[in-house]
């Protein structure tokens, strides 16, 4: 059994609290004193105006011999520069085999560089497969909270099970992160985040909580917005509990943007500059490998993580390379252009990468961790048809291509995980709705939001009509929460974990529905 999550989740320890430098709190108190140093002496320890690990720690991108461990120094996280001078700051890191950090197996020093927002991304390697590790950082005499992380099983291993949860859409203003508090306490080997980690909008009145600024447009804006979100103890606890695999959706940059096309009417070069700064802040704030370091407005986010021969996660990016919605935005009858072979959510390179990786995958279960709903849900009762043009049905040609690939190449147990729409769904994915065999070739679990949308409802108003219109939809619910999954070689089990309210703190969590999928049978059985 894995050990419990770290007790220090997201909160500075008593020891590190003592290391605060309080008082005048001016930037000048971050004294490098390099000018005062006598020749040959050690560099003086940095002193901070306040606790520099205010944003907690995180880990991600697990492999069988390592992962990324992350922190960002920010004694004043909501101000430009984070309350630090524009100089590199040495940060010591340690990885241990025990929660008390007694058996340290890897350690070293990294530089928190101002050009990367004083973030630190370390990739310790040479660790043992399939076990828990703990990590922490030290800068000057300040020490970070301890995070817990885990390596994946060896590539050839046949693990008995994998437990993970996935989540998305955590609008700060519309609710508390109660669902993340519960998620952090789950027995997760991994946490998958499917995007809308932040929202870019301006502060609004009369919300549960308040954004820190007008709409965010610049690197400093994005950094401060991430910092606001990351100051939440529940989010820090979820990061400290297990390694993450994070991808993005639209709000990490701009609502419903498509590649280089913004929502607002601004010149392309203006938007691409904004995208570059938003992507940089995403990299700085997430436990991503150096391979994902952005170059201008480009950041390579699609990648794979393998859990031995049990499961492979194909993490997708359906924002950066997509063509504009072929039939425009909104819910409407397809216009014909959704069958244009040039319209794409993935872009050709990512699609080739996905198809090739699926064919070569050694895994019993192939998980697509991605953003927008793949099932073609008809939103209108009766013979009329209305589908969401921002989701896969707006790109119907490519949607069918993916499902056909599952079928024709006999891909082992494809399971699609989805965020984006702030509601829970369990869908069987039918290859073709309009005349072919109508066979289910995969299943899709759509997870609701952590907080976006505020308090939800267990049974949406149109539920009966929607289920009657779309028989491949086996479950739909509009509460807030997250989705917990367990994979064994024979069976996949999904629990929809929901909280009844988020506009005030303290909601309990419950399992609203449970579905199982038997290996080799792409259909859903409700078991709870
Ligand atoms: Fe969202």
């Amino acid at each position: 059994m894995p050990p419990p999550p770290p007790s220090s989740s997201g909160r500075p320890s008593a020891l590190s609290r003592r290391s605060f430098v309080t008082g005048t709190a001016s930037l000048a108190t971050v004294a490098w004193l390099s000018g005062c140093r006598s020749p040959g002496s050690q560099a003086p320890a940095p002193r901070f105006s306040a606790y520099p690990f205010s944003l907690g720690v995180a880990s991600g991108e697990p492999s069988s011999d390592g992962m990324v461990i992350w922190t960002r120094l920010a004694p004043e996280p909501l101000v430009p520069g984070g309350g630090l001078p524009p100089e590199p700051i040495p940060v010591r890191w340690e990885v241990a085999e025990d929660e008390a950090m007694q058996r340290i197996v890897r350690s070293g020093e990294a530089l928190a560089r101002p050009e990367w927002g004083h973030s630190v991304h370390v990739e310790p390697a040479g660790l043992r497969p399939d076990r828990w590790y703990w990590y922490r950082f030290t800068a000057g005499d300040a020490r970070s909270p301890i995070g817990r992380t885990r390596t994946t099983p060896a590539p050839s291993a046949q693990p008995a099970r994998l437990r993970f949860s996935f989540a998305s859409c955590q609008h700060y203003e519309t609710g508390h992160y109660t669902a993340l508090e519960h998620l952090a306490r789950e027995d997760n080997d991994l946490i998958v985040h499917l995007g809308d980690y932040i929202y870019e909008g301006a502060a609004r009145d009369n919300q549960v909580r308040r954004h820190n600024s007008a709409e965010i447009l610049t690197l400093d804006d994005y950094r401060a917005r991430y910092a606001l979100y990351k100051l939440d103890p529940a989010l820090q606890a979820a990061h400290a509990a297990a390694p993450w695999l994070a991808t993005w959706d639209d709000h990490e940059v701009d609502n419903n943007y498509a590649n280089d096309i913004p929502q607002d009417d601004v010149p392309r070069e203006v938007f691409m500059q904004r995208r570059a700064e938003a992507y940089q802040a995403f990299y700085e704030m997430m436990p991503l490998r150096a391979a994902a370091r952005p170059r201008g407005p480009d950041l390579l986010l699609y990648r794979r993580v393998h859990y031995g021969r049990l499961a492979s996660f194909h993490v997708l990016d359906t924002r950066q390379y997509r063509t504009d919605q072929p039939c425009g935005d909104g819910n409407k009858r397809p216009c014909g252009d959704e069958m244009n072979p040039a319209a794409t959510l993935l872009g050709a390179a990512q699609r080739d990468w996905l198809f090739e990786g699926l064919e070569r995958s050694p895994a019993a279960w192939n998980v697509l961790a991605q953003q927008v709903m793949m099932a073609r849900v008809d939103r209108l009762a009766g013979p009329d048809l209305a589908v969401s043009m921002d989701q896969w049905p707006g790109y119907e040609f490519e949607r069918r291509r993916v499902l056909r690939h599952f079928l024709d190449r006999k891909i082992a147990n494809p399971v699609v995980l989805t965020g984006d729409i702030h509601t829970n769904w369990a869908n069987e994915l039918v290859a073709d709705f309009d005349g072919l065999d109508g066979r289910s070739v995969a299943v899709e679990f759509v997870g609701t939001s952590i907080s976006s949308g505020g308090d939800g409802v267990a049974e949406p108003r149109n539920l009966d009509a929607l289920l009657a219109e779309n028989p491949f939809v086996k479950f739909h619910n509009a509460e807030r929460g997250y989705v917990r999954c367990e994979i064994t070689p024979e069976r996949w089990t999904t629990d929809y974990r929901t909280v009844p309210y988020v506009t005030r703190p303290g909601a309990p969590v419950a399992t609203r529905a449970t579905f199982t999928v038997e290996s080799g049978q792409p259909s859903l059985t409700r078991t709870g």
Side-chain angles (χ1 to χ4, degrees):
M1 286 289 289
S7 54
S8 57
S9 51
R11 311 295 298 178
S13 67
L15 178 68
S16 55
R17 245 183 246 118
R18 277 204 304 275
S19 65
F20 286 19
V21 177
T22 53
T24 56
S26 76
L27 293 189
T29 59
V30 188
W32 299 119
L33 306 172
S34 50
C36 316
R37 208 158 107 201
S38 59
S41 70
Q42 289 253 311
R47 297 175 67 244
F48 300 101
S49 59
Y51 184 57
F53 296 105
S54 59
L55 304 178
V57 298
S59 73
E61 309 300 306
S63 66
S64 60
D65 79 335
M67 71 289 291
V68 179
I69 58 173
W70 172 96
T71 192
R72 179 189 167 211
L73 301 180
E76 296 170 51
L78 296 177
V79 306
L84 295 172
E87 295 177 36
I89 301 173
V91 179
R92 184 161 178 76
W93 57 271
E94 296 166 294
V95 176
E97 287 181 339
D98 63 313
E99 186 174 5
M101 302 294 298
Q102 295 297 302
R103 298 193 306 277
I104 293 184
V105 291
R106 290 286 180 282
S107 61
E109 192 172 278
L111 278 180
R113 296 182 182 278
E115 58 269 34
W116 295 107
H118 288 107
S119 61
V120 176
H121 300 72
V122 178
E123 300 183 31
L127 301 176
R128 286 155 51 199
D130 201 18
R131 65 154 292 154
W132 292 103
Y133 287 94
W134 287 260
Y135 60 95
R136 70 181 172 199
F137 301 90
T138 307
D141 56 3
R143 185 163 269 177
S144 77
I146 295 168
R148 190 183 73 156
T149 190
R150 188 175 177 86
T151 48
T152 67
S156 60
Q158 303 269 13
R161 71 169 189 198
L162 166 67
R163 286 176 167 170
F164 76 99
S165 295
F166 70 92
S168 63
C169 295
Q170 48 199 34
H171 200 304
Y172 184 83
E173 293 192 315
T174 56
H176 295 279
Y177 292 167
T178 315
L180 284 172
E181 280 176 39
H182 294 294
L183 182 152
R185 292 190 204 111
E186 299 280 5
D187 193 8
N188 288 314
D189 297 322
L190 174 74
I191 292 169
V192 178
H193 200 288
L194 299 177
D196 289 358
Y197 187 98
I198 59 161
Y199 282 71
E200 81 283 16
R204 297 176 298 177
D205 293 331
N206 304 317
Q207 302 294 307
V208 177
R209 304 191 283 188
R210 196 174 159 83
H211 273 161
N212 55 324
S213 67
E215 180 164 350
I216 53 177
L217 299 167
T218 69
L219 179 57
D220 277 343
D221 294 345
Y222 282 100
R223 283 172 171 164
R225 184 61 57 88
Y226 277 99
L228 176 73
Y229 280 51
K230 278 182 171 283
L231 285 168
D232 188 290
L235 182 53
Q236 291 196 16
H239 275 297
W244 279 41
L245 259 184
T247 186
W248 54 31
D249 197 12
D250 51 340
H251 289 286
E252 283 84 354
V253 181
D254 186 26
N255 182 49
N256 280 7
Y257 83 99
N259 189 344
D260 57 353
I261 303 162
Q263 180 188 41
D264 314 313
D265 190 19
V266 296
R268 181 182 181 278
E269 60 275 16
V270 171
F271 178 69
M272 289 306 266
Q273 179 61 31
R274 179 183 183 183
R275 186 176 114 170
E277 298 189 27
Y279 282 10
Q280 175 167 344
F282 181 83
Y283 169 77
E284 289 176 359
M285 290 294 187
M286 289 292 172
L288 293 171
R289 291 190 184 270
R293 213 177 262 167
R295 292 189 192 89
D298 302 313
L299 188 157
L300 181 60
L301 198 57
Y302 62 84
R303 74 265 194 209
R304 279 188 193 89
V305 167
H306 303 286
Y307 278 78
R309 301 175 73 85
L310 178 61
S312 289
F313 287 79
H314 311 260
V315 184
L316 305 185
D317 173 359
T318 60
R319 287 286 163 196
Q320 189 173 182
Y321 313 106
R322 69 158 72 187
T323 52
D324 204 8
Q325 291 100 337
C327 297
D329 209 345
N331 288 340
K332 56 176 126 172
R333 169 168 280 282
C335 65
D337 292 343
E338 78 284 357
M339 292 303 288
N340 178 354
T344 176
L345 276 176
L346 298 173
Q350 181 177 200
R351 191 174 57 236
D352 290 349
W353 167 90
L354 174 64
F355 283 6
E356 192 188 325
L358 286 168
E359 284 178 50
R360 285 192 290 105
S361 170
W365 299 87
N366 282 288
V367 188
L368 274 64
Q370 57 98 51
Q371 296 78 21
V372 287
M373 191 149 77
M374 195 172 277
R376 198 182 70 165
V377 174
D378 180 1
R379 312 293 177 137
L380 284 180
D384 269 352
L385 175 67
V387 302
S388 169
M389 292 299 160
D390 190 56
Q391 300 170 8
W392 281 93
Y395 302 76
E396 181 66 15
F397 185 88
E398 187 172 54
R399 195 183 77 86
R400 291 188 194 181
R401 223 172 137 178
V402 172
L403 295 179
R404 275 277 150 202
H405 190 80
F406 293 162
L407 186 66
D408 294 346
R409 302 304 171 100
K410 299 182 171 55
I411 303 303
N413 296 313
V415 176
V416 178
L417 308 182
T418 301
D420 179 50
I421 49 173
H422 311 169
T423 43
N424 285 311
W425 304 72
N427 304 323
E428 291 175 351
L429 292 174
V430 182
D432 189 333
F433 289 82
D434 292 331
L436 292 182
D437 54 17
R439 189 162 17 144
S440 170
V441 299
V443 297
E444 176 178 40
F445 297 111
V446 183
T448 189
S449 61
I450 291 293
S451 57
S452 303
D455 295 339
V457 293
E459 298 203 353
R461 208 163 13 97
N462 58 349
L463 182 62
D464 289 345
L466 186 126
L467 294 178
E469 192 69 26
N470 300 282
F472 53 89
V473 176
K474 304 302 180 185
F475 173 67
H476 175 48
N477 156 287
E479 291 173 293
R480 306 287 80 84
Y482 57 94
V483 182
R484 183 175 70 188
C485 304
E486 180 177 283
I487 314 176
T488 70
E490 301 80 29
R491 183 173 299 120
W492 178 299
T493 305
T494 287
D495 296 318
Y496 288 91
R497 304 276 281 163
T498 61
V499 293
Y501 53 85
V502 293
T503 54
R504 58 191 200 280
V509 68
T511 298
R512 180 61 70 184
T514 299
F515 285 88
T516 58
V517 183
E518 303 298 322
S519 177
Q521 297 172 14
S523 60
L524 295 164
T525 304
R526 186 160 182 173
T527 56

